């Protein structure tokens, strides 16, 4: 059971931990219960949360018991951000998000029947033990164990104290609630290990201190590193905003493309973090990416593995088919309406109403070319395609038989530039 710590180190998944020798010994004693918490501050988790699932899954494969907390209580308050106060959502909204996220988490940790020794997750909501606590109980039973000087030292808190906005007591109290979660889970489920992001380290250690003070028990914590992009931009963002795990917010095709379009350096850095392949296979993929970056080996490995994990094998198949079809390597008719629409919306599209423009006009209106003269020149040079068929006459208008399911046309300039045209109504 100690091998899991070696695996997490190999993959770069441990940024900090409490006494590692003691943690290794504790894990070697037998199955331990461990937990990670997810606050419902939106209707879906995003790719930034995937790193926590990698740790949860590794510990689960090693035979330990996962406990997943979705914070119905802490989600009503919000962890302090360095720059501004969080918007407080109403109770009904947060309750609905708790249920959605609970359902979203399940596929990551539900063990197949044939997985001998793999323990299914326990799901908890911290509203269950937080809601009954009165203000007096909160101050007497919890508040007395926390020193304000230590709470002020937390990075997000200190940053806010030095800003123009300051920090409310609501957000300041968040770390007490999260620490109490650890205590309650230790009492109720015997939890002795908490995992979380490196930005949560102050909250994790606060929980350890509270368990020690109130229960006299020694418990542990480990944190994952902050994932960044090579260009300094925030991980988990695409041109359309956050990359969500919910397919209604980020389609499986867009999710697949996020990983496929990663920078070479990013893909090589992310592959050990997010891939559950054997170490030798990961190393070989990284080496191949260095030798032949144009093949995008690391990116494709990430896109395939994570799309399968998050959305399932059928959605992976559709996402891969969409990429091939849009660029002329597969029949567009093989795509279902939803996948085709998602792919073209991701690529960029326009909607037309009334008389249909000519192909040359559509090339200009979609932004594939800068002018009508450039459009006509592209057609003349054989570089314009409608539904993967080379266009011979730029002044022709697509016929009724050209429309694909969902009312779409696929325009392509050259090999790589794609746009969609959708018929209004």
């Amino acid at each position: 059971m100690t091998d899991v710590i070696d695996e997490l180190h190999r993959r770069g998944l441990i940024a900090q931990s409490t006494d590692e020798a003691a943690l290794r010994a504790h894990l070697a004693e037998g199955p331990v219960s461990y937990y990670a918490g997810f606050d419902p501050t939106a209707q879906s988790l995003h790719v930034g949360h995937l790193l926590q699932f990698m740790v949860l899954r590794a510990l689960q494969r090693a035979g330990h018991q996962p406990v997943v907390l979705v914070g119905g209580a802490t989600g009503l308050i919000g962890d302090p951000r360095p720059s501004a106060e969080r918007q407080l959502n109403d109770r009904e909204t947060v309750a609905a998000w708790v249920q959605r996220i609970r359902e979203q988490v399940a596929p990551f940790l539900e063990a197949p029947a044939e997985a001998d020794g793999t323990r299914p997750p326990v799901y908890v909501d911290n509203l269950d033990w937080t809601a009954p606590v009165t203000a007096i109980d909160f101050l007497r039973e919890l508040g007395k164990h926390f020193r304000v000087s230590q709470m002020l030292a937390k990075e997000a808190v200190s940053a806010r104290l030095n800003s123009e906005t300051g920090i409310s007591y609501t957000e300041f109290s968040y770390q007490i609630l999260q620490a109490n979660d650890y205590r309650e889970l230790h009492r109720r489920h015997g939890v002795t290990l908490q995992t979380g992001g490196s930005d949560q380290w102050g909250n994790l250690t606060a929980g350890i201190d509270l368990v020690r003070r109130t229960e006299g028990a020694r418990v542990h914590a480990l944190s994952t590193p902050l994932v960044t992009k090579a260009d300094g931009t925030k991980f988990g963002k695409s041109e359309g905003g956050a990359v969500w795990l919910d397919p209604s917010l980020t389609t499986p095709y867009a999710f697949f493309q996020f990983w496929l379009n990663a920078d070479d350096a990013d893909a090589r850095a992310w592959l050990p973090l997010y891939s559950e392949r054997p170490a030798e296979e990961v190393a070989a993929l990284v080496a191949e990416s260095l030798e032949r970056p144009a093949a995008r080996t690391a990116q494709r490995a990430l896109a395939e593995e994570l799309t399968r994990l998050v959305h399932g094998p059928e959605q992976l198949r559709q996402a891969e088919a969409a990429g091939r079809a849009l660029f002329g390597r597969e029949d567009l008719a093989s795509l279902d309406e939803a996948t085709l629409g998602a792919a073209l919306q991701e690529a960029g599209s326009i909607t037309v109403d009334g008389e249909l423009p000519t192909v040359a006009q559509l090339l200009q209106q979609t932004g594939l070319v800068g002018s009508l003269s450039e459009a006509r020149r592209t057609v003349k040079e054989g570089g314009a395609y409608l539904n993967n068929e080379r266009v011979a006459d730029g002044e022709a208008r697509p016929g009724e038989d050209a429309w694909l399911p969902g009312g779409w046309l696929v325009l392509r300039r050259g090999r790589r530039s794609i746009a969609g045209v959708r018929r209004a109504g």
Side-chain angles (χ1 to χ4, degrees), residues 237-259:
K237 296 284 187 179
S238 68
E239 292 182 4
V243 180
W244 302 100
L245 304 189
D246 187 326
S248 68
L249 300 175
T250 297
T251 65
Y253 176 82
F255 184 88
F256 182 89
Q257 290 294 316
F258 168 76
W259 301 102

Side-chain angles (χ1 to χ4, degrees), residues 10 271 275-288 301 305:
R10 173 186 64 77
L271 192 60
S275 176
E276 295 176 339
R277 290 174 166 88
E280 298 78 10
E281 189 174 338
V282 170
L285 289 167
V286 170
E288 185 176 351
E305 187 168 354

Side-chain angles (χ1 to χ4, degrees), residues 145-146 150-151 154 174-180 182-183 194 200-213 219 221:
H145 296 293
F146 291 82
Q150 294 176 345
M151 296 175 71
K154 184 183 175 186
Y174 180 92
Q175 58 187 292
I176 300 179
L177 294 182
Q178 183 169 325
N180 188 48
Y182 203 163
R183 183 177 75 159
Q194 182 183 4
Q200 292 288 309
W201 187 247
N203 292 335
L204 271 61
T205 55
I208 290 172
D209 289 341
L210 183 61
V211 173
R212 176 180 57 81
R213 289 173 183 272
V219 293

Side-chain angles (χ1 to χ4, degrees), residues 69 124-133 177 180-182 184-185 188-189:
L69 182 149
V124 295
D125 181 348
N126 59 14
L127 190 63
D128 292 344
W129 56 79
T130 306
V133 176
L177 294 182
N180 188 48
D181 289 342
Y182 203 163
E184 289 293 334
L185 291 176
R188 295 166 183 245
H189 299 283

Side-chain angles (χ1 to χ4, degrees), residues 329-350:
R329 298 191 300 275
E330 194 165 302
D331 188 358
L332 286 165
S334 67
L335 303 182
D336 61 42
E337 181 179 327
T339 301
L340 176 63
L344 291 174
Q345 287 170 359
E346 178 71 12
S349 63
I350 63 170

Side-chain angles (χ1 to χ4, degrees), residues 11-68:
R11 294 174 61 186
L13 287 170
I14 299 180
Q16 293 172 284
S17 69
T18 47
D19 187 332
E20 186 174 304
L23 176 57
R24 284 178 178 271
H26 180 55
L27 292 172
E29 290 171 355
V32 307
S33 293
Y34 63 98
Y35 96 98
F38 303 91
D39 276 348
T41 53
Q43 60 183 305
S44 170
L45 301 177
H46 52 73
V47 294
H49 293 102
L50 283 177
L51 212 61
Q52 297 311 311
F53 290 119
M54 297 298 106
V55 175
L56 290 172
R57 285 166 61 86
L59 288 163
Q60 185 187 39
R61 287 195 302 272
H64 301 293
Q65 173 66 63
V67 177
V68 177

